Amino acid sequence: MDSWVPFRRSRPDRVVELVRRVAEAGDPGEHGEGVEVVVEAPRTTWWRALFNRDDTLAQARIVVTREGGAVRYPFDIQLVTAYGAGAAHRLGTRPGWAVSNSAGMAFVIQKGTHRTGFDFEELAAGAVAALAKLRRKPRERGWRARIDRSVKRG
């Protein structure tokens, strides 16, 4: 597990770097089931959280590699927020994206084909934008990301 990398909400270039590093390595992770880049939004202030029930951690878990280190579309982003499985449907859709709630989990999904190449900038921006929309009045600072190689799926 790598350490957290801080970034500003409006500048997710560090997230793009992490995604690109994992994809280029074709990293299968510790258990061979893939690697995720975890993006975390800052917690809200205590008084705002008290009235908005928004005191939980908000994460977007970008599935960069799958079993065996495969990198391919569609890219799934699991949203771990106070909204649970309904989080994705609170977002609406963006062009080239889909939303889903599956098995009690919320996902936003970046679609594409191998012919178009990978748009890691849009992938990172989409993850940050999803968290920002679910967070009421998100702060610019306090965001962080890290690589999670200990993923176990299924």
Side-chain angles (χ1 to χ4, degrees), residues 8 10-11 37 40 55 59-60 63-64 66-67 75 81 83 95-96 98 102 112 114 127 131 142 154:
R8 288 176 174 245
S10 62
R11 301 224 12 165
V37 171
E40 194 171 277
D55 61 343
Q59 290 186 341
V63 178
V64 181
R66 299 173 188 276
E67 188 173 336
F75 287 102
T81 69
Y83 299 111
S102 176
H114 67 281
L131 287 178

PDB file of all heavy atoms in Angstrom, residues 8 10-11 37 40 55 59-60 63-64 66-67 75 81 83 95-96 98 102 112 114 127 131 142 154:
ATOM      1  N   ARG A   8      -5.048  19.163  -4.975  1.00  0.00           N
ATOM      2  CA  ARG A   8      -6.180  20.091  -4.949  1.00  0.00           C
ATOM      3  C   ARG A   8      -7.290  19.538  -5.835  1.00  0.00           C
ATOM      4  O   ARG A   8      -7.014  18.937  -6.873  1.00  0.00           O
ATOM      5  CB  ARG A   8      -5.758  21.460  -5.484  1.00  0.00           C
ATOM      6  CG  ARG A   8      -4.870  22.210  -4.553  1.00  0.00           C
ATOM      7  CD  ARG A   8      -4.420  23.509  -5.208  1.00  0.00           C
ATOM      8  NE  ARG A   8      -3.680  24.299  -4.273  1.00  0.00           N
ATOM      9  CZ  ARG A   8      -4.088  25.469  -3.824  1.00  0.00           C
ATOM     10  NH1 ARG A   8      -5.201  26.004  -4.275  1.00  0.00           N
ATOM     11  NH2 ARG A   8      -3.369  26.128  -2.947  1.00  0.00           N
ATOM     12  N   SER A  10      -9.229  20.942  -7.921  1.00  0.00           N
ATOM     13  CA  SER A  10      -9.220  21.467  -9.285  1.00  0.00           C
ATOM     14  C   SER A  10      -8.017  20.998 -10.101  1.00  0.00           C
ATOM     15  O   SER A  10      -7.941  21.271 -11.292  1.00  0.00           O
ATOM     16  CB  SER A  10      -9.249  22.994  -9.259  1.00  0.00           C
ATOM     17  OG  SER A  10      -8.091  23.488  -8.607  1.00  0.00           O
ATOM     18  N   ARG A  11      -7.087  20.282  -9.457  1.00  0.00           N
ATOM     19  CA  ARG A  11      -5.873  19.822 -10.151  1.00  0.00           C
ATOM     20  C   ARG A  11      -5.612  18.340  -9.864  1.00  0.00           C
ATOM     21  O   ARG A  11      -4.714  18.008  -9.087  1.00  0.00           O
ATOM     22  CB  ARG A  11      -4.677  20.645  -9.697  1.00  0.00           C
ATOM     23  CG  ARG A  11      -4.885  22.124  -9.973  1.00  0.00           C
ATOM     24  CD  ARG A  11      -3.758  22.796 -10.529  1.00  0.00           C
ATOM     25  NE  ARG A  11      -2.717  21.889 -10.974  1.00  0.00           N
ATOM     26  CZ  ARG A  11      -1.747  22.273 -11.751  1.00  0.00           C
ATOM     27  NH1 ARG A  11      -1.682  23.484 -12.169  1.00  0.00           N
ATOM     28  NH2 ARG A  11      -0.805  21.419 -12.123  1.00  0.00           N
ATOM     29  N   VAL A  37      -6.788   2.759  -7.676  1.00  0.00           N
ATOM     30  CA  VAL A  37      -6.318   4.045  -7.170  1.00  0.00           C
ATOM     31  C   VAL A  37      -7.480   4.609  -6.359  1.00  0.00           C
ATOM     32  O   VAL A  37      -8.593   4.745  -6.867  1.00  0.00           O
ATOM     33  CB  VAL A  37      -5.905   5.005  -8.299  1.00  0.00           C
ATOM     34  CG1 VAL A  37      -5.645   6.406  -7.751  1.00  0.00           C
ATOM     35  CG2 VAL A  37      -4.666   4.480  -9.007  1.00  0.00           C
ATOM     36  N   GLU A  40      -9.759  10.197  -2.162  1.00  0.00           N
ATOM     37  CA  GLU A  40     -10.521  10.488  -0.955  1.00  0.00           C
ATOM     38  C   GLU A  40     -10.788  11.984  -0.837  1.00  0.00           C
ATOM     39  O   GLU A  40      -9.867  12.799  -0.938  1.00  0.00           O
ATOM     40  CB  GLU A  40      -9.739   9.990   0.255  1.00  0.00           C
ATOM     41  CG  GLU A  40     -10.536   9.932   1.525  1.00  0.00           C
ATOM     42  CD  GLU A  40      -9.753   9.236   2.619  1.00  0.00           C
ATOM     43  OE1 GLU A  40      -9.767   7.990   2.649  1.00  0.00           O
ATOM     44  OE2 GLU A  40      -9.122   9.944   3.430  1.00  0.00           O
ATOM     45  N   ASP A  55     -20.743  13.235   7.448  1.00  0.00           N
ATOM     46  CA  ASP A  55     -19.507  13.132   8.207  1.00  0.00           C
ATOM     47  C   ASP A  55     -18.702  11.876   7.882  1.00  0.00           C
ATOM     48  O   ASP A  55     -17.651  11.650   8.454  1.00  0.00           O
ATOM     49  CB  ASP A  55     -19.795  13.170   9.703  1.00  0.00           C
ATOM     50  CG  ASP A  55     -20.681  12.024  10.159  1.00  0.00           C
ATOM     51  OD1 ASP A  55     -21.339  11.394   9.295  1.00  0.00           O
ATOM     52  OD2 ASP A  55     -20.727  11.763  11.370  1.00  0.00           O
ATOM     53  N   GLN A  59     -14.987   8.120  -0.696  1.00  0.00           N
ATOM     54  CA  GLN A  59     -13.917   7.596  -1.546  1.00  0.00           C
ATOM     55  C   GLN A  59     -14.456   7.217  -2.911  1.00  0.00           C
ATOM     56  O   GLN A  59     -15.595   6.796  -3.049  1.00  0.00           O
ATOM     57  CB  GLN A  59     -13.282   6.338  -0.939  1.00  0.00           C
ATOM     58  CG  GLN A  59     -12.471   6.554   0.279  1.00  0.00           C
ATOM     59  CD  GLN A  59     -11.773   5.254   0.699  1.00  0.00           C
ATOM     60  OE1 GLN A  59     -12.152   4.152   0.299  1.00  0.00           O
ATOM     61  NE2 GLN A  59     -10.759   5.391   1.517  1.00  0.00           N
ATOM     62  N   ALA A  60     -13.572   7.336  -3.890  1.00  0.00           N
ATOM     63  CA  ALA A  60     -13.798   6.793  -5.224  1.00  0.00           C
ATOM     64  C   ALA A  60     -12.656   5.812  -5.461  1.00  0.00           C
ATOM     65  O   ALA A  60     -11.493   6.190  -5.388  1.00  0.00           O
ATOM     66  CB  ALA A  60     -13.794   7.895  -6.269  1.00  0.00           C
ATOM     67  N   VAL A  63     -10.861   1.301 -10.526  1.00  0.00           N
ATOM     68  CA  VAL A  63     -10.312   0.002 -10.904  1.00  0.00           C
ATOM     69  C   VAL A  63      -9.438   0.227 -12.139  1.00  0.00           C
ATOM     70  O   VAL A  63      -9.935   0.387 -13.244  1.00  0.00           O
ATOM     71  CB  VAL A  63     -11.431  -1.020 -11.197  1.00  0.00           C
ATOM     72  CG1 VAL A  63     -10.835  -2.348 -11.644  1.00  0.00           C
ATOM     73  CG2 VAL A  63     -12.321  -1.194  -9.980  1.00  0.00           C
ATOM     74  N   VAL A  64      -8.119   0.232 -11.930  1.00  0.00           N
ATOM     75  CA  VAL A  64      -7.191   0.499 -13.030  1.00  0.00           C
ATOM     76  C   VAL A  64      -6.814  -0.797 -13.722  1.00  0.00           C
ATOM     77  O   VAL A  64      -6.861  -0.902 -14.943  1.00  0.00           O
ATOM     78  CB  VAL A  64      -5.925   1.230 -12.533  1.00  0.00           C
ATOM     79  CG1 VAL A  64      -4.983   1.518 -13.692  1.00  0.00           C
ATOM     80  CG2 VAL A  64      -6.297   2.516 -11.807  1.00  0.00           C
ATOM     81  N   ARG A  66      -7.298  -5.154 -13.765  1.00  0.00           N
ATOM     82  CA  ARG A  66      -8.162  -6.261 -13.358  1.00  0.00           C
ATOM     83  C   ARG A  66      -7.299  -7.509 -13.158  1.00  0.00           C
ATOM     84  O   ARG A  66      -6.081  -7.411 -13.126  1.00  0.00           O
ATOM     85  CB  ARG A  66      -9.221  -6.487 -14.422  1.00  0.00           C
ATOM     86  CG  ARG A  66     -10.111  -5.268 -14.606  1.00  0.00           C
ATOM     87  CD  ARG A  66     -11.055  -5.436 -15.785  1.00  0.00           C
ATOM     88  NE  ARG A  66     -11.764  -4.216 -16.078  1.00  0.00           N
ATOM     89  CZ  ARG A  66     -12.868  -3.820 -15.475  1.00  0.00           C
ATOM     90  NH1 ARG A  66     -13.396  -4.548 -14.533  1.00  0.00           N
ATOM     91  NH2 ARG A  66     -13.446  -2.680 -15.817  1.00  0.00           N
ATOM     92  N   GLU A  67      -7.947  -8.632 -13.077  1.00  0.00           N
ATOM     93  CA  GLU A  67      -7.248  -9.898 -12.852  1.00  0.00           C
ATOM     94  C   GLU A  67      -6.075 -10.057 -13.821  1.00  0.00           C
ATOM     95  O   GLU A  67      -6.209  -9.818 -15.022  1.00  0.00           O
ATOM     96  CB  GLU A  67      -8.221 -11.063 -13.018  1.00  0.00           C
ATOM     97  CG  GLU A  67      -7.631 -12.387 -12.608  1.00  0.00           C
ATOM     98  CD  GLU A  67      -8.657 -13.507 -12.616  1.00  0.00           C
ATOM     99  OE1 GLU A  67      -9.858 -13.216 -12.495  1.00  0.00           O
ATOM    100  OE2 GLU A  67      -8.239 -14.659 -12.746  1.00  0.00           O
ATOM    101  N   PHE A  75     -13.806   1.254 -17.446  1.00  0.00           N
ATOM    102  CA  PHE A  75     -13.161   1.472 -16.157  1.00  0.00           C
ATOM    103  C   PHE A  75     -14.249   1.739 -15.126  1.00  0.00           C
ATOM    104  O   PHE A  75     -15.077   2.626 -15.314  1.00  0.00           O
ATOM    105  CB  PHE A  75     -12.203   2.670 -16.204  1.00  0.00           C
ATOM    106  CG  PHE A  75     -10.938   2.391 -16.956  1.00  0.00           C
ATOM    107  CD1 PHE A  75     -10.774   2.851 -18.244  1.00  0.00           C
ATOM    108  CD2 PHE A  75      -9.915   1.656 -16.376  1.00  0.00           C
ATOM    109  CE1 PHE A  75      -9.609   2.601 -18.950  1.00  0.00           C
ATOM    110  CE2 PHE A  75      -8.746   1.389 -17.080  1.00  0.00           C
ATOM    111  CZ  PHE A  75      -8.589   1.859 -18.365  1.00  0.00           C
ATOM    112  N   THR A  81     -19.571   6.110  -0.103  1.00  0.00           N
ATOM    113  CA  THR A  81     -20.045   7.350   0.506  1.00  0.00           C
ATOM    114  C   THR A  81     -21.206   7.054   1.460  1.00  0.00           C
ATOM    115  O   THR A  81     -21.685   5.924   1.536  1.00  0.00           O
ATOM    116  CB  THR A  81     -20.533   8.353  -0.550  1.00  0.00           C
ATOM    117  OG1 THR A  81     -21.728   7.857  -1.147  1.00  0.00           O
ATOM    118  CG2 THR A  81     -19.477   8.604  -1.618  1.00  0.00           C
ATOM    119  N   TYR A  83     -24.134   7.806   0.954  1.00  0.00           N
ATOM    120  CA  TYR A  83     -25.328   7.523   0.163  1.00  0.00           C
ATOM    121  C   TYR A  83     -25.447   6.060  -0.235  1.00  0.00           C
ATOM    122  O   TYR A  83     -26.446   5.666  -0.834  1.00  0.00           O
ATOM    123  CB  TYR A  83     -25.348   8.398  -1.097  1.00  0.00           C
ATOM    124  CG  TYR A  83     -25.383   9.867  -0.776  1.00  0.00           C
ATOM    125  CD1 TYR A  83     -24.282  10.664  -1.037  1.00  0.00           C
ATOM    126  CD2 TYR A  83     -26.500  10.449  -0.207  1.00  0.00           C
ATOM    127  CE1 TYR A  83     -24.306  12.023  -0.740  1.00  0.00           C
ATOM    128  CE2 TYR A  83     -26.533  11.795   0.098  1.00  0.00           C
ATOM    129  CZ  TYR A  83     -25.431  12.574  -0.173  1.00  0.00           C
ATOM    130  OH  TYR A  83     -25.457  13.910   0.123  1.00  0.00           O
ATOM    131  N   PRO A  95     -21.244  12.562 -20.672  1.00  0.00           N
ATOM    132  CA  PRO A  95     -21.011  11.891 -21.953  1.00  0.00           C
ATOM    133  C   PRO A  95     -19.872  10.866 -21.832  1.00  0.00           C
ATOM    134  O   PRO A  95     -18.818  11.166 -21.276  1.00  0.00           O
ATOM    135  CB  PRO A  95     -20.614  13.031 -22.889  1.00  0.00           C
ATOM    136  CG  PRO A  95     -21.219  14.256 -22.268  1.00  0.00           C
ATOM    137  CD  PRO A  95     -21.183  14.015 -20.788  1.00  0.00           C
ATOM    138  N   GLY A  96     -20.118   9.649 -22.301  1.00  0.00           N
ATOM    139  CA  GLY A  96     -19.114   8.592 -22.237  1.00  0.00           C
ATOM    140  C   GLY A  96     -19.081   7.846 -20.916  1.00  0.00           C
ATOM    141  O   GLY A  96     -18.202   7.023 -20.686  1.00  0.00           O
ATOM    142  N   ALA A  98     -21.485   5.888 -17.580  1.00  0.00           N
ATOM    143  CA  ALA A  98     -22.736   5.268 -17.145  1.00  0.00           C
ATOM    144  C   ALA A  98     -22.701   5.188 -15.623  1.00  0.00           C
ATOM    145  O   ALA A  98     -21.644   5.296 -15.013  1.00  0.00           O
ATOM    146  CB  ALA A  98     -22.862   3.865 -17.739  1.00  0.00           C
ATOM    147  N   SER A 102     -24.948  -1.966  -8.079  1.00  0.00           N
ATOM    148  CA  SER A 102     -24.902  -3.405  -8.233  1.00  0.00           C
ATOM    149  C   SER A 102     -24.493  -4.038  -6.909  1.00  0.00           C
ATOM    150  O   SER A 102     -23.489  -3.630  -6.315  1.00  0.00           O
ATOM    151  CB  SER A 102     -23.881  -3.766  -9.323  1.00  0.00           C
ATOM    152  OG  SER A 102     -23.744  -5.143  -9.451  1.00  0.00           O
ATOM    153  N   GLY A 112     -15.575   3.191 -23.307  1.00  0.00           N
ATOM    154  CA  GLY A 112     -14.646   3.477 -24.388  1.00  0.00           C
ATOM    155  C   GLY A 112     -14.296   2.192 -25.103  1.00  0.00           C
ATOM    156  O   GLY A 112     -14.775   1.117 -24.743  1.00  0.00           O
ATOM    157  N   HIS A 114     -10.916   0.001 -27.196  1.00  0.00           N
ATOM    158  CA  HIS A 114      -9.461  -0.069 -27.322  1.00  0.00           C
ATOM    159  C   HIS A 114      -8.964   0.798 -28.480  1.00  0.00           C
ATOM    160  O   HIS A 114      -7.824   1.206 -28.511  1.00  0.00           O
ATOM    161  CB  HIS A 114      -9.007  -1.521 -27.491  1.00  0.00           C
ATOM    162  CG  HIS A 114      -9.449  -2.140 -28.782  1.00  0.00           C
ATOM    163  ND1 HIS A 114     -10.732  -2.611 -28.961  1.00  0.00           N
ATOM    164  CD2 HIS A 114      -8.795  -2.345 -29.942  1.00  0.00           C
ATOM    165  CE1 HIS A 114     -10.840  -3.089 -30.195  1.00  0.00           C
ATOM    166  NE2 HIS A 114      -9.688  -2.945 -30.804  1.00  0.00           N
ATOM    167  N   ALA A 127     -13.729  10.800 -11.433  1.00  0.00           N
ATOM    168  CA  ALA A 127     -13.752  10.323 -10.046  1.00  0.00           C
ATOM    169  C   ALA A 127     -13.840  11.493  -9.074  1.00  0.00           C
ATOM    170  O   ALA A 127     -14.635  11.484  -8.135  1.00  0.00           O
ATOM    171  CB  ALA A 127     -12.513   9.479  -9.764  1.00  0.00           C
ATOM    172  N   LEU A 131     -17.145  12.639  -6.551  1.00  0.00           N
ATOM    173  CA  LEU A 131     -17.058  12.887  -5.111  1.00  0.00           C
ATOM    174  C   LEU A 131     -17.439  14.320  -4.765  1.00  0.00           C
ATOM    175  O   LEU A 131     -18.114  14.566  -3.769  1.00  0.00           O
ATOM    176  CB  LEU A 131     -15.640  12.596  -4.601  1.00  0.00           C
ATOM    177  CG  LEU A 131     -15.241  11.134  -4.517  1.00  0.00           C
ATOM    178  CD1 LEU A 131     -13.810  11.016  -4.041  1.00  0.00           C
ATOM    179  CD2 LEU A 131     -16.176  10.357  -3.606  1.00  0.00           C
ATOM    180  N   GLY A 142      -7.151  19.393   0.756  1.00  0.00           N
ATOM    181  CA  GLY A 142      -7.438  18.271   1.638  1.00  0.00           C
ATOM    182  C   GLY A 142      -7.766  16.974   0.914  1.00  0.00           C
ATOM    183  O   GLY A 142      -8.033  15.960   1.541  1.00  0.00           O
ATOM    184  N   GLY A 154     -14.599 -10.489  -5.112  1.00  0.00           N
ATOM    185  CA  GLY A 154     -15.350 -11.739  -5.166  1.00  0.00           C
ATOM    186  C   GLY A 154     -15.366 -12.540  -3.973  1.00  0.00           C
ATOM    187  O   GLY A 154     -14.982 -12.816  -3.031  1.00  0.00           O
TER     188      GLY A 154
END
